[in-house]
Amino acid sequence: MSLVPGLGMLRGMGLTLRRFFEPKATIRYPEVKADVAVKFRGRLQLLYDEYGTLKCETCFQCAQACPIECIDMGGIDTKGRYHVHWGPPETYGERREESALRRSGRTVPDRRFTPFDPIDLTAVDAILEKYDFDPRHMLAILEETQTAYGHLPVAAIKRISHTTGAWYAMIYGTASYYRHLRFESPEDAIQSASLDVRRPHERAFAGALDAALVGGRGTGGAPGADGSAPGRGPARA
Amino acid sequence: MTSLLRTPAAWPRVLLGRADALAQDPFDIEAATQAGAFRALRTVVRDLGPTGTIAAVAASGLRGRGGAGYPTADKWRACANAAPGVRYVVANGYGADPSARTDEALLDADPYAVIEGLAIAAYAVGASEAFLAVRGDRPETAARLEAALAAAEEAGVLGEDLFGSGHDVWIRVRPVQGAYMLGEETVLLKALEGRRGQPEQRPPYPTERGLHGKPTVVNNVQTLAAVPWIIREGAAAFAAIGSPAAPGTVLVAVRGPAGAGIAEVPLGTPLRELVGLAGGVGTGRQLKALLVGGPSGGLLPPDLLDTPYEFGALRAAGAHLGSGSVVVADDRACILDLARLLTRFCATEACGKTIPCRIGTWRLVEIADRAAEGLQKPSDPQLLEDLAHDIVASALCDHERLATLALTSGMRYFRAELDDHLLRSSCPAGVCQPIAVTATAARQELPLR
Ligand SMILES: Cc1cc2nc3c(=O)[nH]c(=O)nc-3n(C[C@H](O)[C@H](O)[C@H](O)COP(=O)(O)O)c2cc1C
Ligand code: SF4
Ligand code: FES
């Protein structure tokens, strides 16, 4: 507040007046693009709501949803030390609920949520017990779970996530990377078959190489139209 | 299993020296001990100590057999000098290349040499826990190795209080499977942590921040199996084998039209002799190219047959030691088709973490595909060159760098044949479809080239 009433207003109008006579820079986007630095990706900023509280509630949903672990959260605690995660992972769920409650007064169910098939969890529990709920043995846990159930059921991955503290998205990311792990039983082999076409097994390579060496026709490793492994075309001697 | 090839009797044998003596049952610890296993470990613990051991390995000039040829002693020293605390040693016995089974052959023929070398490495860098990573799709190998480790612990040459030194060395077998990339060291460490197999930025190198964030040495099993021999026979004896820049022997998997198998050869052996081991090319055929280094290897022409099989010389020639595989292609093969197959394999197996890996490798495949189908563009040769250069310059791991080798070495040595594809839409070998049809038609009228 200025001492002379109305001075602030005059100053403001002055600025408007000055801008009024300046040349305009209207860019006819998207035909014309603004000149920005090569690496400009837009400014990242955490926003505050009308009460001045940070809109990000550190609910970790974004970090948990990214299957390749792109998003990480961290911050400075009251003693000025940097931590990558805010608080123990067990509390993320609580915080998420708390965040939803605070916004709306009640928990908000996700309408797109579909319940997964319940399964008998004794087998996965025994496996978890055997590996002492240690997420560092995740591959062995997943492999044995697959042996027990024939594939990796969602309910089992949820159980593994809850008991080991590893995020569901991380387990999903791991399980989807390794070629021998699968999310559906081989009987409903839609996914498995399409995976084989997109990522032919290493072993198929040896066969394809053999074919290429004797002038196999049309190889080059392209998967056959029938979904067969690459390079199995008739060899010409 | 691939058979072992006969090599001249005069060639020194470091890795498979005991294989014949142990042929009955390589996993029998009594026989192995009688043949000299664990003597070097005792010497190391009783007499040499960690610094003495690293000095002996340094004097031998041993370089990593995993492909890159990094001096082993430097790696160990870096890890031993890292901040005090827990550290690990990992033996890389994954053997990623599906066409070379050299590491498996070693683990089958003389498992105790690898185990002893791993124990020596662990002792030298001060690790009490070591892992032996093997292929998970061969469960019987893992089971036999576990039995071998149990036998060694029972015999008192492994485990608690190594030879009364106060050091513990525990070795665990960890089977991993599910991707080609698992052979790469940082990816292997991720797999051992139970995570997605994607490489990490280096530095920090694993020797600084590796398994579970602790300093870690990752060595190929052949590297480790050479260590007990060096301690037993002396560093000077090892340094005298092979080429001065890269002493010692290495296992190669040679595959040709006339035969295939694995052989132990001194580093620096000319490629010509390796081809000879597998019987050369068949009668009436001509040698066209050598694929050296596995799926991500380079294609070398017949005039480079005198290149010594050794890290530096191969890199200079545009190939690399890689998985230790040498594939002989005769005149039936089409260079473009071969390069295309290799590049496609590398692109399929790329992990997807970075842009050169996820996108760059596929753009390479597309250029090769276009050329094979007769849909090439005039700018393709230049595009190929630029793209390969950019991939090499911006790669995160060696996989995408090496993925360019097949096409770049093809362009370097087989330019005429690739130009037939790229500029004249013809395939001299008559392999590529549909342009092969054009070629056969054209061959009758116009002289090509
Ligand atoms: C794509 C790729 C695959 C690899 N595969 C293997 C492998 O199967 N076995 C291996 O020992 N090293 C492999 N390596 C090399 C390792 O990254 C690492 O350099 C090696 O294990 C280190 O051991 P050394 O010092 O004894 O060579 C691979 C590297 C790359 C880039
Ligand atoms: S990797 Fe995918 S999921 Fe993760 S932040 Fe990027 S776009 Fe989102
Ligand atoms: S293969 Fe993906 S970063 Fe190297």
Side-chain angles (χ1 to χ4, degrees):
Chain A
M1 282 280 285
S2 88
L3 291 177
V4 189
L7 187 62
M9 170 77 122
L10 266 180
R11 274 215 195 121
M13 293 309 287
L15 187 71
T16 313
L17 211 66
R18 236 182 308 134
R19 287 276 187 270
F20 190 81
F21 291 107
E22 268 175 18
K24 308 291 173 299
T26 308
I27 295 173
R28 302 189 72 79
Y29 186 85
E31 287 82 33
V32 181
K33 300 226 161 64
D35 213 8
V36 289
V38 194
K39 293 210 167 168
F40 182 76
R41 294 288 180 273
R43 188 166 154 212
L44 283 176
Q45 189 181 27
L46 290 178
L47 298 177
Y48 291 83
D49 66 9
E50 60 275 31
Y51 306 109
T53 26
L54 199 56
K55 274 189 165 179
C56 172
E57 306 243 359
T58 61
C59 73
F60 278 82
Q61 290 213 66
C62 56
Q64 278 180 290
C66 176
I68 65 159
E69 301 160 43
C70 255
I71 306 174
D72 216 335
M73 297 184 90
I76 312 280
D77 69 6
T78 47
K79 298 208 173 65
R81 295 167 304 195
Y82 182 79
H83 295 275
V84 173
H85 302 303
W86 284 352
E90 301 86 86
T91 64
Y92 302 157
E94 281 166 35
R95 253 189 277 170
R96 196 158 63 233
E97 258 159 47
E98 184 195 293
S99 142
L101 271 175
R102 212 178 326 151
R103 302 221 153 270
S104 65
R106 67 198 154 78
T107 32
V108 190
D110 184 347
R111 231 175 286 138
R112 276 169 308 173
F113 173 79
T114 39
F116 45 86
D117 296 338
I119 53 162
D120 180 10
L121 288 169
T122 32
V124 66
D125 283 342
I127 294 163
L128 285 162
E129 184 89 45
K130 177 172 151 199
Y131 286 104
D132 198 22
F133 305 98
D134 187 349
R136 288 181 299 177
H137 290 290
M138 190 56 75
L139 270 183
I141 295 175
L142 290 174
E143 278 163 8
E144 291 189 18
T145 308
Q146 174 160 314
T147 316
Y149 294 97
H151 63 293
L152 296 173
V154 177
I157 304 183
K158 291 240 168 191
R159 181 64 139 225
I160 297 171
S161 166
H162 285 158
T163 49
T164 58
W167 296 348
Y168 183 89
M170 239 175 97
I171 303 178
Y172 181 81
T174 303
S176 57
Y177 177 87
Y178 293 93
R179 204 180 272 115
H180 61 299
L181 299 176
R182 52 176 181 260
F183 299 107
E184 56 180 28
S185 59
E187 290 96 73
D188 346 316
I190 309 157
Q191 178 216 18
S192 324
S194 72
L195 252 185
D196 276 351
V197 175
R198 268 185 296 127
R199 303 185 60 187
H201 198 276
E202 289 158 61
R203 270 194 221 112
F205 168 74
L209 186 58
D210 274 335
L213 287 176
V214 295
R217 208 150 27 102
T219 54
D226 53 348
S228 61
R232 295 253 177 82
R236 293 191 324 168
Chain B
M1 218 198 96
T2 332
S3 58
L4 292 183
L5 294 171
R6 291 193 67 79
T7 50
W11 284 10
R13 292 179 121 208
V14 172
L15 302 169
L16 297 179
R18 301 203 283 249
D20 291 336
L22 301 179
Q24 276 267 310
D25 177 12
F27 289 82
D28 178 3
I29 190 162
E30 304 254 318
T33 316
Q34 250 163 33
F38 297 105
R39 254 198 0 240
L41 181 58
R42 188 190 311 257
T43 316
V44 159
V45 175
R46 292 257 170 88
D47 310 330
L48 292 177
T51 15
T53 310
I54 297 181
V57 174
S60 76
L62 177 65
R63 290 169 67 179
R65 287 354 183 194
Y70 190 78
T72 306
D74 290 359
K75 208 182 247 189
W76 290 12
R77 200 174 287 125
C79 182
N81 293 344
V86 178
R87 53 204 59 186
Y88 300 104
V89 179
V90 175
N92 186 349
Y94 182 65
D97 178 1
S99 58
R101 289 273 175 256
T102 49
D103 294 349
E104 272 172 30
L106 175 63
L107 284 169
D108 282 340
D110 195 351
Y112 289 107
V114 177
I115 291 172
E116 187 181 3
L118 183 52
I120 293 175
Y123 172 79
V125 304
S128 58
E129 229 181 318
F131 298 98
L132 178 50
V134 295
R135 288 191 78 91
D137 47 359
R138 289 178 84 218
E140 66 285 353
T141 313
R144 271 187 299 179
L145 285 171
E146 256 158 30
L149 287 171
E153 280 171 24
E154 195 147 307
V157 290
L158 207 62
E160 212 170 340
D161 196 11
L162 213 56
F163 296 108
S165 64
H167 282 271
D168 298 355
V169 172
W170 298 102
I171 300 180
R172 306 256 173 281
V173 179
R174 291 294 291 272
V176 290
Q177 63 173 322
Y180 171 77
M181 284 301 295
L182 295 187
E184 207 274 341
E185 54 186 0
T186 56
V187 178
L188 183 64
L189 296 180
K190 286 280 190 73
L192 295 182
E193 292 173 2
R195 302 184 51 197
R196 216 182 151 79
Q198 289 179 321
E200 278 295 317
Q201 180 89 44
R202 270 156 293 197
Y205 290 92
T207 46
E208 200 182 314
R209 180 132 46 87
L211 192 63
H212 304 305
K214 303 284 188 282
T216 305
V217 166
V218 183
N219 270 142
N220 178 263
V221 285
Q222 293 180 46
T223 319
L224 292 170
V227 172
W229 194 95
I230 292 169
I231 304 291
R232 273 200 317 270
E233 316 279 332
F238 188 84
I241 302 174
S243 88
T249 62
V250 67
L251 296 183
V252 289
V254 198
R255 182 151 88 146
I262 290 173
E264 175 169 3
V265 305
L267 281 167
T269 309
L271 286 173
R272 186 187 301 281
E273 289 182 39
L274 301 189
V275 175
L277 290 179
V281 289
T283 39
R285 296 274 168 209
Q286 269 180 333
L287 177 69
K288 185 164 194 180
L290 287 184
L291 167 63
V292 184
S296 59
L299 293 161
L300 302 184
D303 15 324
L304 288 184
L305 270 176
D306 289 316
T307 313
Y309 188 72
E310 176 264 312
F311 306 103
L314 286 180
R315 279 323 284 258
H320 68 130
L321 199 85
S323 60
S325 120
V326 174
V327 178
V328 186
D330 62 21
D331 48 11
R332 283 173 294 182
C334 163
I335 294 297
L336 178 79
D337 190 56
L338 211 52
R340 180 184 166 211
L341 168 68
L342 299 169
T343 316
R344 185 184 294 276
F345 177 80
C346 291
T348 335
E349 291 297 337
C351 75
K353 182 167 182 170
T354 61
I355 288 177
C357 136
R358 185 173 60 241
I359 301 169
T361 50
W362 280 109
R363 295 290 97 89
L364 284 178
V365 174
E366 284 167 10
I367 296 175
D369 277 355
R370 280 204 294 268
E373 281 153 21
L375 300 172
Q376 69 281 8
K377 301 177 186 165
S379 55
D380 273 356
Q382 186 62 43
L383 180 63
L384 175 61
E385 201 173 296
D386 293 349
L387 182 58
H389 176 269
D390 289 351
I391 290 179
V392 171
S394 58
L396 169 65
C397 80
D398 270 345
H399 179 64
E400 55 265 46
R401 271 184 214 120
L402 299 171
T404 62
L405 272 189
L407 280 170
T408 47
S409 63
M411 286 296 262
R412 182 162 156 198
Y413 298 119
F414 301 93
R415 188 64 194 245
E417 183 168 347
L418 293 195
D419 275 351
D420 280 344
H421 289 87
L422 285 167
L423 308 177
R424 283 180 281 280
S425 282
S426 78
C427 174
V431 170
C432 296
Q433 298 282 351
I435 66 171
V437 184
T438 341
T440 1
R443 208 173 280 156
Q444 276 133 33
E445 298 143 30
L446 326 164
L448 289 170
R449 262 181 267 163

